[in-house]
Amino acid sequence: MQRSTGEEFDAPEPRRHKIKVTFELDSDLRMRARTMFKLTGEDEGDVSFGGMLATLIENECIRRERVYNGGRPFEGTDRKLRPGRPLG
């Protein structure tokens, strides 16, 4: 699922099941992402728009785990998150 970006990551074990995720995006960011998928998806091996987004999220999780958690996967929780933006 993960693409090479010149910096290799060790991907955590795949999850057992998929869940539906719903969130809001800025319309311009959504359009950029859709256009990126249409123009680069085949070359990058993306099977679907959702698959591309999952890869992007996974790569960012791995990056932050390296920076903030010694490269170990963050422990998961199903507790509710704060709604909306921004965090600060």
Side-chain angles (χ1 to χ4, degrees), residues 66-83:
R66 282 187 169 177
V67 171
Y68 297 103
N69 204 35
R72 295 178 312 278
F74 288 119
E75 294 295 321
T77 179
D78 282 335
R79 287 185 296 166
K80 284 193 165 198
L81 301 173
R82 284 183 297 229

Side-chain angles (χ1 to χ4, degrees), residues 43-54:
D43 290 341
E44 293 290 324
D46 297 320
V47 193
S48 67
F49 183 65
M52 180 192 75
L53 294 177

